[in-house]
């Protein structure tokens, strides 16, 4: 039986299927109804397909995979570079994250985060959310509706955090996590597009029983894990003080069964040799966050050493420690960090080459997130998660191409001078979902029944309230909740232990209007 091919793409195809390998070829690629890639081999297949032919200075590239980004910190992207990690958390980060108990705010910001990262070509992101379950569920819904693959992690943090932004106990943290896991299991039962990820914020913000419980949650639900490790010297000293019976920062996680083949460890700047060995043994992966490491003056991670040890490495923007969710900037900073380190340590091998950097941003990310067989490069049988990159003069970006430029040069010029205007099309799982050439008619195919419609066309307070009500209903219908939702004032209170007095929550001019609306529907 002849298989039906839905779309045939014809054009330059560039990818890095393995570390250090760069493939540039003229290709004809078929995307089947089952949304995987097949290379078209005979003409009769063309009869049933739409054919997309790229323009001369356009090429296909795998979608970027950002393995470490804090969605609720997005409003802070671009400022706050004056403090080291622990003080930065206190001054900038905890205040913004704690405001996500307000779902209106979460919807507005998370919509922006997902559409912005898509515009930069991020087709798969591993997000830290705040500690709030409803806002985290909303982020999951947004990613699912807008078509971005995502891991969504509600932060687990029950100690050494400000009173207004701290879970009251291990038990409540686990309960809140279970609610999110149940909600997301209904949203995407196969976890093909969105999956929960267990997210102990970092060792200092979790008690020992919570660390242990997080390891158990991941094992019981077969879920990935993400956390921070060895980012900054002050943080490492704090971990040593808090866990004196453990050999190292890595040993803290290992002891609590948090190092698995599906664990993403962000930063890893100061790992000792023994820690590297443990991480290798457990097959956990690293998210290298060079922009954030530079901004917060945390340090320079020696990625060559980790790669030489056989550890899986990927790239993260780490917004808002990193100042932009643009993965091209993460690639540039990874290049510069490795070159600076090569010069400081007088070892030219430490410098990462362009094919290696591009691998970290694509296939490397897929491997770290445990999805290397599905996405990250263009191989037969994989999903079509692809960008159409346009470097023609029509894009009016600083990527200026001349006749003598080779494709290697063009690729490098795009990496170092390009921006979102060069991202013409963003495809996830065989569907066009974003990019400068993506028209409204294209996105309407995606069943955008939730957030985008809400944000683009329905802006009245009544419509907002209706949306909130839908979210609440979806929660109460699908999950047995220990009365963690309270709608009497038209707003959501995610955790009963978070009823600290806050002006934002108590004096809310629209609350009366909402209450009336909720009652009348
Ligand atoms: Zn981070």
């Amino acid at each position: 039986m002849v298989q039906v091919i839905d779309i045939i793409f014809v054009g330059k195809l560039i990818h890095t299927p393995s570390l250090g390998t760069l493939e540039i070829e003229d290709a004809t690629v078929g995307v089947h109804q089952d949304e995987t890639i097949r290379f078209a081999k005979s003409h009769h297949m063309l009869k049933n397909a739409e054919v997309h032919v790229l323009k001369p200075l356009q090429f296909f590239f795998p979608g970027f995979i950002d393995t470490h980004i804090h969605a609720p910190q997005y409003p802070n992207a671009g400022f706050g570079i004056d403090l080291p990690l622990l003080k930065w958390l206190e001054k900038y980060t905890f205040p913004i994250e704690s405001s996500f108990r307000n779902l209106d705010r979460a919807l507005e910001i998370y919509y922006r985060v997902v559409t912005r990262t898509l515009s930069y070509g991020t087709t798969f992101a591993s997000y830290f959310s705040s500690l709030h379950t409803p806002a985290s569920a909303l982020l999951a819904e947004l990613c699912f509706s807008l078509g971005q693959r995502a891991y969504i992690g509600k932060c687990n943090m029950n100690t050494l955090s400000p009173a207004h932004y701290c879970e009251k106990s291990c038990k409540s943290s686990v309960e809140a996590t279970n609610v999110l896991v149940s909600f997301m299991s209904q949203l995407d039962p196969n976890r093909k597009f969105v999956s929960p990820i267990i997210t102990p914020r970092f060792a200092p913000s979790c008690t020992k029983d919570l660390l242990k419980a997080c390891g158990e949650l991941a094992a019981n639900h077969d879920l990935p894990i993400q956390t921070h490790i060895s980012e900054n010297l002050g943080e490492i000293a704090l971990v040593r003080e808090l866990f004196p019976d453990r050999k190292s920062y890595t040993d803290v996680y290992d002891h609590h069964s948090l190092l698995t083949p599906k664990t993403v460890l962000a930063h890893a700047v100061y790992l000792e040799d023994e820690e590297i060995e443990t991480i290798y043994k457990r097959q956990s992966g690293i998210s290298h966050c060079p922009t954030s490491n530079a901004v917060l003056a945390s340090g320079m991670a020696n990625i060559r050493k980790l790669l030489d040890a056989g550890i899986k490495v990927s790239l993260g923007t780490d917004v808002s420690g990193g100042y932009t969710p643009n993965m091209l900037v993460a690639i540039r900073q990874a290049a510069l960090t490795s070159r600076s380190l090569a010069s400081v340590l007088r070892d030219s091998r430490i410098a990462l080459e362009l094919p290696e950097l591009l691998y970290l941003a694509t296939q490397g990310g897929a491997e770290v997130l445990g999805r290397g067989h599905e996405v990250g490069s263009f191989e037969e049988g994989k999903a079509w998660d692809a960008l159409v990159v346009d470097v023609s003069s029509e894009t009016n970006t600083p990527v200026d191409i001349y006749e003598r430029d080779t494709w290697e040069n063009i690729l490098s010029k795009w990496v170092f001078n390009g921006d979102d205007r060069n991202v013409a099309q963003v495809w996830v799982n065989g569907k066009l979902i974003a990019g400068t050439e993506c028209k409204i008619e294209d996105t309407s195919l995606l069943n955008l029944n939730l957030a985008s419609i809400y944000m683009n066309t329905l802006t009245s307070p009544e419509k907002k309230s209706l949306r909130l009500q839908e979210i609440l209903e979806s929660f109460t219908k699908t999950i047995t909740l220990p009365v963690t939702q309270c709608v009497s004032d038209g707003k959501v209170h995610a955790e009963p232990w978070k009823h600290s007095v806050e002006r934002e929550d108590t004096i809310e001019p629209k609350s009366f209007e909402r209450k009336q609306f909720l009652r009348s529907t």
Side-chain angles (χ1 to χ4, degrees), residues 271-289:
L271 295 178
E272 305 282 347
D273 290 349
E274 200 180 332
E275 296 183 273
I276 292 175
E277 213 180 300
T278 304
I279 291 168
Y280 172 71
K281 266 192 217 148
R282 302 284 178 255
Q283 297 173 54
S284 301
I286 303 287
S287 177
H288 176 38
C289 304

Side-chain angles (χ1 to χ4, degrees), residues 36 124 210 228 234 236 307 321-322 340 370 421 428-429 446 514:
T36 55
F124 193 174
L210 183 54
H228 297 86
I236 295 166
L307 291 172
S340 301
R421 291 170 293 177
V428 171
N429 212 50
L446 293 173
R514 279 200 198 134

Side-chain angles (χ1 to χ4, degrees), residues 268 271 276 286 301-311 313:
L271 295 178
I276 292 175
I286 303 287
N302 187 342
I303 296 309
R304 179 66 66 203
K305 189 173 176 184
L306 298 174
L307 291 172
D308 284 350
I311 291 180
V313 184

Side-chain angles (χ1 to χ4, degrees), residues 248-477:
S248 63
Y249 204 152
T250 299
D251 191 40
V252 173
Y253 291 141
D254 196 31
H255 180 75
H256 295 98
S257 309
L258 288 164
L259 298 185
T260 76
K262 288 197 278 186
T263 298
V264 188
L265 299 164
H267 300 285
V269 179
Y270 297 100
L271 295 178
E272 305 282 347
D273 290 349
E274 200 180 332
E275 296 183 273
I276 292 175
E277 213 180 300
T278 304
I279 291 168
Y280 172 71
K281 266 192 217 148
R282 302 284 178 255
Q283 297 173 54
S284 301
I286 303 287
S287 177
H288 176 38
C289 304
T291 317
S292 154
N293 292 344
V295 166
L296 299 179
S298 298
M300 293 189 279
N302 187 342
I303 296 309
R304 179 66 66 203
K305 189 173 176 184
L306 298 174
L307 291 172
D308 284 350
I311 291 180
K312 295 177 288 184
V313 184
S314 59
L315 274 185
T317 58
D318 194 22
V319 166
S320 67
Y323 57 83
T324 169
N326 181 356
M327 281 290 282
L328 285 177
V329 172
I331 296 172
R332 290 169 203 161
Q333 189 64 38
L336 300 186
T337 298
S338 74
R339 303 191 82 75
S340 301
L341 207 55
S343 118
V344 171
L345 300 178
R346 294 169 191 256
D347 179 359
S348 59
R349 261 201 83 245
I350 291 173
L352 299 170
E353 301 302 328
L354 188 63
E356 295 174 311
L357 294 158
L358 292 171
Y359 173 85
L360 299 186
T362 55
Q363 183 65 31
E367 298 290 348
V368 166
L369 297 181
R371 305 284 289 273
H373 55 294
E374 290 170 68
V375 293
S377 64
F378 298 129
E379 280 157 290
E380 182 149 346
K382 282 192 167 184
W384 181 248
D385 284 20
L387 312 179
V388 171
V389 179
D390 188 339
V391 290
S392 67
S393 57
E394 283 164 34
T395 59
N396 196 29
T397 63
V399 186
D400 290 319
I401 306 298
Y402 297 95
E403 219 173 298
R404 288 188 175 187
D405 282 327
T406 61
W407 272 98
E408 283 84 355
N409 295 351
I410 290 171
L411 183 68
S412 187
K413 282 185 167 187
W414 164 59
V415 168
F416 286 96
N417 291 307
D419 57 40
D420 54 337
R421 291 170 293 177
N422 299 110
V423 181
Q425 297 171 21
V426 179
W427 295 78
V428 171
N429 212 50
K431 291 195 175 71
L432 178 63
I433 59 166
T436 57
E437 288 182 2
C438 183
K439 304 288 182 299
I440 292 164
E441 309 89 73
D442 301 324
T443 54
S444 67
L445 296 170
L446 293 173
N447 187 24
L448 295 182
N449 57 343
L450 297 170
S452 65
I453 291 169
Y454 166 87
M455 293 301 290
N456 290 335
T457 61
L458 310 177
T459 50
S460 70
E462 288 76 14
K463 298 291 184 187
K464 275 189 175 184
S465 293
L466 176 62
R467 179 69 197 104
L468 285 174
Q469 194 186 26
E470 280 170 6
I471 292 166
L472 292 169
E473 279 176 1
S474 72
F475 265 75
T476 45
K477 262 184 212 157

Side-chain angles (χ1 to χ4, degrees), residues 12-208:
K12 192 70 74 182
L13 191 130
I14 303 180
H15 68 147
T16 52
S18 61
L19 184 68
T21 310
L22 174 66
E23 291 185 2
I24 301 176
E25 58 187 316
D26 291 310
T28 303
V29 176
V31 176
H32 272 254
Q33 277 186 325
D34 63 3
E35 292 149 346
T36 55
I37 299 173
R38 299 282 188 280
F39 289 89
K41 283 173 187 149
S42 56
H43 290 297
H44 66 266
M45 285 181 169
L46 293 169
K47 284 179 194 163
N48 299 317
E50 260 177 67
V51 181
H52 289 213
V53 182
L54 293 193
K55 294 175 203 160
L57 282 175
Q58 291 189 329
F59 60 92
F60 295 110
F61 193 78
F64 288 127
I65 299 178
D66 184 346
T67 56
H68 188 75
I69 173 168
H70 297 261
Q73 295 175 19
Y74 181 68
N76 288 1
F79 70 83
I81 68 165
D82 54 327
L83 293 171
L85 177 68
L86 299 177
K87 288 184 176 156
W88 172 85
L89 282 170
E90 213 174 295
K91 181 173 174 185
Y92 298 111
T93 304
F94 290 147
I96 187 81
E97 287 193 14
S98 66
S99 71
F100 278 70
R101 68 164 55 81
N102 179 327
L103 267 189
D104 272 349
R105 182 172 172 73
L107 188 53
E108 184 188 348
I109 294 167
Y110 284 162
Y111 177 82
R112 185 61 63 88
V113 171
V114 178
T115 51
R116 183 69 72 202
T117 50
L118 280 173
S119 76
Y120 283 127
T122 300
T123 51
F124 193 174
S126 191
Y127 288 111
F128 276 58
S129 177
S130 61
L131 61 65
H132 311 101
T133 298
S136 305
L138 183 57
L139 177 59
E141 269 190 299
L142 278 165
C143 293
F144 192 72
S145 305
L146 294 168
Q148 187 179 51
R149 290 184 205 272
Y151 286 175
I152 312 285
K154 184 210 92 60
C155 283
N156 299 102
M157 45 193 287
N158 69 340
T159 184
L160 280 194
S161 307
H164 68 276
Y165 191 56
C166 184
E167 294 173 302
K168 71 168 183 182
S169 67
C170 170
K171 187 167 170 275
S172 60
S173 182
V174 169
E175 274 174 11
T177 306
N178 274 323
V179 171
L180 182 66
V181 171
S182 309
F183 177 81
M184 289 184 68
S185 302
Q186 302 264 344
L187 186 64
D188 184 7
N190 300 321
R191 298 176 187 163
K192 191 173 172 187
F193 296 98
V194 293
S195 165
I197 180 166
I198 301 302
T199 306
R201 182 178 199 107
F202 67 152
S205 66
C206 300
T207 54
K208 288 173 191 169

